[in-house]
PDB file of all heavy atoms in Angstrom:
ATOM      1  N   ARG Y   1     -19.001-136.831 -38.623  1.00  0.00           N
ATOM      2  CA  ARG Y   1     -18.781-137.580 -39.857  1.00  0.00           C
ATOM      3  C   ARG Y   1     -18.359-136.596 -40.944  1.00  0.00           C
ATOM      4  O   ARG Y   1     -19.164-136.113 -41.720  1.00  0.00           O
ATOM      5  CB  ARG Y   1     -20.055-138.342 -40.250  1.00  0.00           C
ATOM      6  CG  ARG Y   1     -20.294-139.555 -39.369  1.00  0.00           C
ATOM      7  CD  ARG Y   1     -21.503-140.327 -39.811  1.00  0.00           C
ATOM      8  NE  ARG Y   1     -22.736-139.743 -39.306  1.00  0.00           N
ATOM      9  CZ  ARG Y   1     -23.951-140.230 -39.576  1.00  0.00           C
ATOM     10  NH1 ARG Y   1     -24.074-141.272 -40.356  1.00  0.00           N
ATOM     11  NH2 ARG Y   1     -25.020-139.661 -39.078  1.00  0.00           N
ATOM     12  N   ASN Y   2     -17.078-136.313 -40.960  1.00  0.00           N
ATOM     13  CA  ASN Y   2     -16.562-135.214 -41.760  1.00  0.00           C
ATOM     14  C   ASN Y   2     -16.827-135.375 -43.244  1.00  0.00           C
ATOM     15  O   ASN Y   2     -16.942-134.390 -43.976  1.00  0.00           O
ATOM     16  CB  ASN Y   2     -15.053-135.063 -41.520  1.00  0.00           C
ATOM     17  CG  ASN Y   2     -14.504-133.799 -42.135  1.00  0.00           C
ATOM     18  OD1 ASN Y   2     -14.995-132.715 -41.851  1.00  0.00           O
ATOM     19  ND2 ASN Y   2     -13.513-133.931 -42.999  1.00  0.00           N
ATOM     20  N   ARG Y   3     -16.949-136.619 -43.719  1.00  0.00           N
ATOM     21  CA  ARG Y   3     -17.140-136.802 -45.165  1.00  0.00           C
ATOM     22  C   ARG Y   3     -18.489-136.277 -45.624  1.00  0.00           C
ATOM     23  O   ARG Y   3     -18.718-136.125 -46.824  1.00  0.00           O
ATOM     24  CB  ARG Y   3     -16.990-138.279 -45.547  1.00  0.00           C
ATOM     25  CG  ARG Y   3     -18.012-139.208 -44.936  1.00  0.00           C
ATOM     26  CD  ARG Y   3     -17.580-140.655 -45.150  1.00  0.00           C
ATOM     27  NE  ARG Y   3     -18.499-141.594 -44.553  1.00  0.00           N
ATOM     28  CZ  ARG Y   3     -19.190-142.486 -45.236  1.00  0.00           C
ATOM     29  NH1 ARG Y   3     -19.072-142.542 -46.536  1.00  0.00           N
ATOM     30  NH2 ARG Y   3     -20.002-143.324 -44.626  1.00  0.00           N
ATOM     31  N   TYR Y   4     -19.407-136.019 -44.678  1.00  0.00           N
ATOM     32  CA  TYR Y   4     -20.703-135.472 -45.050  1.00  0.00           C
ATOM     33  C   TYR Y   4     -20.714-133.950 -45.009  1.00  0.00           C
ATOM     34  O   TYR Y   4     -21.687-133.335 -45.395  1.00  0.00           O
ATOM     35  CB  TYR Y   4     -21.795-136.002 -44.122  1.00  0.00           C
ATOM     36  CG  TYR Y   4     -21.946-137.503 -44.153  1.00  0.00           C
ATOM     37  CD1 TYR Y   4     -22.093-138.225 -42.979  1.00  0.00           C
ATOM     38  CD2 TYR Y   4     -21.919-138.192 -45.357  1.00  0.00           C
ATOM     39  CE1 TYR Y   4     -22.223-139.610 -42.999  1.00  0.00           C
ATOM     40  CE2 TYR Y   4     -22.043-139.560 -45.398  1.00  0.00           C
ATOM     41  CZ  TYR Y   4     -22.198-140.269 -44.219  1.00  0.00           C
ATOM     42  OH  TYR Y   4     -22.325-141.628 -44.252  1.00  0.00           O
ATOM     43  N   ALA Y   5     -19.685-133.357 -44.477  1.00  0.00           N
ATOM     44  CA  ALA Y   5     -19.676-131.905 -44.293  1.00  0.00           C
ATOM     45  C   ALA Y   5     -19.440-131.194 -45.624  1.00  0.00           C
ATOM     46  O   ALA Y   5     -18.509-131.529 -46.354  1.00  0.00           O
ATOM     47  CB  ALA Y   5     -18.585-131.514 -43.302  1.00  0.00           C
ATOM     48  N   PRO Y   6     -20.272-130.213 -45.936  1.00  0.00           N
ATOM     49  CA  PRO Y   6     -19.994-129.418 -47.134  1.00  0.00           C
ATOM     50  C   PRO Y   6     -18.656-128.695 -47.005  1.00  0.00           C
ATOM     51  O   PRO Y   6     -18.276-128.283 -45.909  1.00  0.00           O
ATOM     52  CB  PRO Y   6     -21.153-128.417 -47.165  1.00  0.00           C
ATOM     53  CG  PRO Y   6     -22.206-129.001 -46.291  1.00  0.00           C
ATOM     54  CD  PRO Y   6     -21.482-129.781 -45.235  1.00  0.00           C
ATOM     55  N   GLU Y   7     -17.963-128.576 -48.081  1.00  0.00           N
ATOM     56  CA  GLU Y   7     -16.708-127.831 -48.101  1.00  0.00           C
ATOM     57  C   GLU Y   7     -16.808-126.772 -49.186  1.00  0.00           C
ATOM     58  O   GLU Y   7     -17.305-127.042 -50.277  1.00  0.00           O
ATOM     59  CB  GLU Y   7     -15.528-128.758 -48.393  1.00  0.00           C
ATOM     60  CG  GLU Y   7     -15.303-129.827 -47.332  1.00  0.00           C
ATOM     61  CD  GLU Y   7     -14.181-130.772 -47.706  1.00  0.00           C
ATOM     62  OE1 GLU Y   7     -13.448-130.451 -48.663  1.00  0.00           O
ATOM     63  OE2 GLU Y   7     -14.061-131.829 -47.064  1.00  0.00           O
ATOM     64  N   ALA Y   8     -16.360-125.595 -48.866  1.00  0.00           N
ATOM     65  CA  ALA Y   8     -16.436-124.499 -49.829  1.00  0.00           C
ATOM     66  C   ALA Y   8     -15.117-124.361 -50.567  1.00  0.00           C
ATOM     67  O   ALA Y   8     -14.055-124.306 -49.938  1.00  0.00           O
ATOM     68  CB  ALA Y   8     -16.779-123.196 -49.128  1.00  0.00           C
ATOM     69  N   PHE Y   9     -15.196-124.336 -51.879  1.00  0.00           N
ATOM     70  CA  PHE Y   9     -14.034-123.936 -52.669  1.00  0.00           C
ATOM     71  C   PHE Y   9     -14.281-122.512 -53.134  1.00  0.00           C
ATOM     72  O   PHE Y   9     -15.256-122.231 -53.832  1.00  0.00           O
ATOM     73  CB  PHE Y   9     -13.820-124.846 -53.874  1.00  0.00           C
ATOM     74  CG  PHE Y   9     -12.784-124.292 -54.821  1.00  0.00           C
ATOM     75  CD1 PHE Y   9     -11.458-124.254 -54.458  1.00  0.00           C
ATOM     76  CD2 PHE Y   9     -13.154-123.777 -56.060  1.00  0.00           C
ATOM     77  CE1 PHE Y   9     -10.502-123.725 -55.299  1.00  0.00           C
ATOM     78  CE2 PHE Y   9     -12.201-123.252 -56.917  1.00  0.00           C
ATOM     79  CZ  PHE Y   9     -10.876-123.224 -56.543  1.00  0.00           C
ATOM     80  N   ALA Y  10     -13.442-121.589 -52.700  1.00  0.00           N
ATOM     81  CA  ALA Y  10     -13.586-120.182 -53.043  1.00  0.00           C
ATOM     82  C   ALA Y  10     -12.377-119.741 -53.862  1.00  0.00           C
ATOM     83  O   ALA Y  10     -11.240-119.933 -53.438  1.00  0.00           O
ATOM     84  CB  ALA Y  10     -13.711-119.334 -51.785  1.00  0.00           C
ATOM     85  N   ARG Y  11     -12.649-119.190 -55.015  1.00  0.00           N
ATOM     86  CA  ARG Y  11     -11.580-118.629 -55.844  1.00  0.00           C
ATOM     87  C   ARG Y  11     -11.987-117.237 -56.290  1.00  0.00           C
ATOM     88  O   ARG Y  11     -12.936-117.076 -57.055  1.00  0.00           O
ATOM     89  CB  ARG Y  11     -11.327-119.491 -57.080  1.00  0.00           C
ATOM     90  CG  ARG Y  11     -10.033-119.119 -57.817  1.00  0.00           C
ATOM     91  CD  ARG Y  11     -10.079-119.517 -59.289  1.00  0.00           C
ATOM     92  NE  ARG Y  11     -10.959-118.643 -60.056  1.00  0.00           N
ATOM     93  CZ  ARG Y  11     -11.222-118.819 -61.351  1.00  0.00           C
ATOM     94  NH1 ARG Y  11     -10.728-119.848 -61.987  1.00  0.00           N
ATOM     95  NH2 ARG Y  11     -12.035-117.982 -61.994  1.00  0.00           N
ATOM     96  N   PRO Y  12     -11.309-116.205 -55.788  1.00  0.00           N
ATOM     97  CA  PRO Y  12     -11.657-114.836 -56.189  1.00  0.00           C
ATOM     98  C   PRO Y  12     -11.416-114.635 -57.683  1.00  0.00           C
ATOM     99  O   PRO Y  12     -10.697-115.414 -58.328  1.00  0.00           O
ATOM    100  CB  PRO Y  12     -10.692-113.975 -55.361  1.00  0.00           C
ATOM    101  CG  PRO Y  12     -10.143-114.880 -54.310  1.00  0.00           C
ATOM    102  CD  PRO Y  12     -10.166-116.254 -54.868  1.00  0.00           C
ATOM    103  N   PRO Y  13     -12.009-113.611 -58.259  1.00  0.00           N
ATOM    104  CA  PRO Y  13     -11.671-113.269 -59.647  1.00  0.00           C
ATOM    105  C   PRO Y  13     -10.167-113.076 -59.777  1.00  0.00           C
ATOM    106  O   PRO Y  13      -9.536-112.440 -58.933  1.00  0.00           O
ATOM    107  CB  PRO Y  13     -12.421-111.954 -59.876  1.00  0.00           C
ATOM    108  CG  PRO Y  13     -13.563-111.992 -58.907  1.00  0.00           C
ATOM    109  CD  PRO Y  13     -13.022-112.696 -57.695  1.00  0.00           C
ATOM    110  N   ARG Y  14      -9.598-113.664 -60.805  1.00  0.00           N
ATOM    111  CA  ARG Y  14      -8.137-113.630 -60.912  1.00  0.00           C
ATOM    112  C   ARG Y  14      -7.590-112.248 -61.222  1.00  0.00           C
ATOM    113  O   ARG Y  14      -6.403-112.005 -61.097  1.00  0.00           O
ATOM    114  CB  ARG Y  14      -7.692-114.641 -61.967  1.00  0.00           C
ATOM    115  CG  ARG Y  14      -8.040-116.070 -61.549  1.00  0.00           C
ATOM    116  CD  ARG Y  14      -7.435-117.099 -62.472  1.00  0.00           C
ATOM    117  NE  ARG Y  14      -7.722-118.451 -61.978  1.00  0.00           N
ATOM    118  CZ  ARG Y  14      -7.271-119.556 -62.545  1.00  0.00           C
ATOM    119  NH1 ARG Y  14      -6.528-119.487 -63.625  1.00  0.00           N
ATOM    120  NH2 ARG Y  14      -7.578-120.736 -62.038  1.00  0.00           N
ATOM    121  N   GLY Y  15      -8.487-111.358 -61.614  1.00  0.00           N
ATOM    122  CA  GLY Y  15      -8.038-109.993 -61.864  1.00  0.00           C
ATOM    123  C   GLY Y  15      -8.066-109.127 -60.624  1.00  0.00           C
ATOM    124  O   GLY Y  15      -7.661-107.967 -60.663  1.00  0.00           O
ATOM    125  N   ALA Y  16      -8.527-109.698 -59.504  1.00  0.00           N
ATOM    126  CA  ALA Y  16      -8.624-108.921 -58.262  1.00  0.00           C
ATOM    127  C   ALA Y  16      -7.248-108.775 -57.631  1.00  0.00           C
ATOM    128  O   ALA Y  16      -6.602-109.761 -57.287  1.00  0.00           O
ATOM    129  CB  ALA Y  16      -9.586-109.603 -57.286  1.00  0.00           C
ATOM    130  N   VAL Y  17      -6.806-107.541 -57.438  1.00  0.00           N
ATOM    131  CA  VAL Y  17      -5.468-107.313 -56.890  1.00  0.00           C
ATOM    132  C   VAL Y  17      -5.408-107.704 -55.420  1.00  0.00           C
ATOM    133  O   VAL Y  17      -4.336-107.946 -54.881  1.00  0.00           O
ATOM    134  CB  VAL Y  17      -5.052-105.834 -57.063  1.00  0.00           C
ATOM    135  CG1 VAL Y  17      -4.941-105.484 -58.537  1.00  0.00           C
ATOM    136  CG2 VAL Y  17      -6.055-104.907 -56.382  1.00  0.00           C
ATOM    137  N   GLU Y  18      -6.579-107.782 -54.762  1.00  0.00           N
ATOM    138  CA  GLU Y  18      -6.580-108.120 -53.336  1.00  0.00           C
ATOM    139  C   GLU Y  18      -6.390-109.613 -53.094  1.00  0.00           C
ATOM    140  O   GLU Y  18      -6.252-110.044 -51.956  1.00  0.00           O
ATOM    141  CB  GLU Y  18      -7.903-107.685 -52.693  1.00  0.00           C
ATOM    142  CG  GLU Y  18      -8.230-106.218 -52.877  1.00  0.00           C
ATOM    143  CD  GLU Y  18      -9.066-105.998 -54.142  1.00  0.00           C
ATOM    144  OE1 GLU Y  18      -9.118-106.913 -55.003  1.00  0.00           O
ATOM    145  OE2 GLU Y  18      -9.653-104.912 -54.264  1.00  0.00           O
ATOM    146  N   GLY Y  19      -6.405-110.424 -54.146  1.00  0.00           N
ATOM    147  CA  GLY Y  19      -6.237-111.864 -53.990  1.00  0.00           C
ATOM    148  C   GLY Y  19      -7.367-112.474 -53.186  1.00  0.00           C
ATOM    149  O   GLY Y  19      -8.542-112.197 -53.419  1.00  0.00           O
ATOM    150  N   GLU Y  20      -7.025-113.303 -52.199  1.00  0.00           N
ATOM    151  CA  GLU Y  20      -8.044-114.003 -51.409  1.00  0.00           C
ATOM    152  C   GLU Y  20      -8.888-113.044 -50.583  1.00  0.00           C
ATOM    153  O   GLU Y  20      -9.973-113.389 -50.115  1.00  0.00           O
ATOM    154  CB  GLU Y  20      -7.382-115.020 -50.482  1.00  0.00           C
ATOM    155  CG  GLU Y  20      -6.428-114.420 -49.479  1.00  0.00           C
ATOM    156  CD  GLU Y  20      -5.619-115.466 -48.731  1.00  0.00           C
ATOM    157  OE1 GLU Y  20      -5.448-116.584 -49.266  1.00  0.00           O
ATOM    158  OE2 GLU Y  20      -5.169-115.166 -47.621  1.00  0.00           O
ATOM    159  N   ASN Y  21      -8.404-111.821 -50.391  1.00  0.00           N
ATOM    160  CA  ASN Y  21      -9.185-110.820 -49.658  1.00  0.00           C
ATOM    161  C   ASN Y  21     -10.067-109.981 -50.576  1.00  0.00           C
ATOM    162  O   ASN Y  21     -10.635-108.970 -50.150  1.00  0.00           O
ATOM    163  CB  ASN Y  21      -8.249-109.901 -48.866  1.00  0.00           C
ATOM    164  CG  ASN Y  21      -7.558-110.638 -47.732  1.00  0.00           C
ATOM    165  OD1 ASN Y  21      -8.189-111.407 -47.017  1.00  0.00           O
ATOM    166  ND2 ASN Y  21      -6.260-110.424 -47.592  1.00  0.00           N
ATOM    167  N   ALA Y  22     -10.195-110.402 -51.828  1.00  0.00           N
ATOM    168  CA  ALA Y  22     -11.083-109.709 -52.755  1.00  0.00           C
ATOM    169  C   ALA Y  22     -12.509-109.761 -52.218  1.00  0.00           C
ATOM    170  O   ALA Y  22     -12.930-110.726 -51.578  1.00  0.00           O
ATOM    171  CB  ALA Y  22     -11.005-110.352 -54.135  1.00  0.00           C
ATOM    172  N   VAL Y  23     -13.266-108.723 -52.493  1.00  0.00           N
ATOM    173  CA  VAL Y  23     -14.615-108.596 -51.943  1.00  0.00           C
ATOM    174  C   VAL Y  23     -15.574-109.528 -52.679  1.00  0.00           C
ATOM    175  O   VAL Y  23     -15.658-109.522 -53.910  1.00  0.00           O
ATOM    176  CB  VAL Y  23     -15.110-107.143 -52.057  1.00  0.00           C
ATOM    177  CG1 VAL Y  23     -16.562-107.037 -51.607  1.00  0.00           C
ATOM    178  CG2 VAL Y  23     -14.222-106.231 -51.228  1.00  0.00           C
ATOM    179  N   PHE Y  24     -16.294-110.328 -51.899  1.00  0.00           N
ATOM    180  CA  PHE Y  24     -17.367-111.143 -52.444  1.00  0.00           C
ATOM    181  C   PHE Y  24     -18.695-110.400 -52.360  1.00  0.00           C
ATOM    182  O   PHE Y  24     -19.500-110.454 -53.279  1.00  0.00           O
ATOM    183  CB  PHE Y  24     -17.454-112.477 -51.696  1.00  0.00           C
ATOM    184  CG  PHE Y  24     -18.520-113.385 -52.227  1.00  0.00           C
ATOM    185  CD1 PHE Y  24     -18.257-114.218 -53.304  1.00  0.00           C
ATOM    186  CD2 PHE Y  24     -19.787-113.414 -51.658  1.00  0.00           C
ATOM    187  CE1 PHE Y  24     -19.247-115.045 -53.807  1.00  0.00           C
ATOM    188  CE2 PHE Y  24     -20.773-114.243 -52.153  1.00  0.00           C
ATOM    189  CZ  PHE Y  24     -20.508-115.062 -53.237  1.00  0.00           C
TER     190      PHE Y  24
END
């Protein structure tokens, strides 16, 4: 029942030059 599944929205700091590969 996919509508119950949590979904993660991840947005790195916009100043991170690595973009989506920025370190969390």
Side-chain angles (χ1 to χ4, degrees):
R1 286 183 278 179
N2 190 55
R3 63 192 178 118
Y4 300 136
E7 297 176 12
F9 170 70
R11 192 205 73 183
R14 296 188 176 183
V17 296
E18 304 91 344
E20 61 189 24
N21 292 316
V23 175
F24 181 85

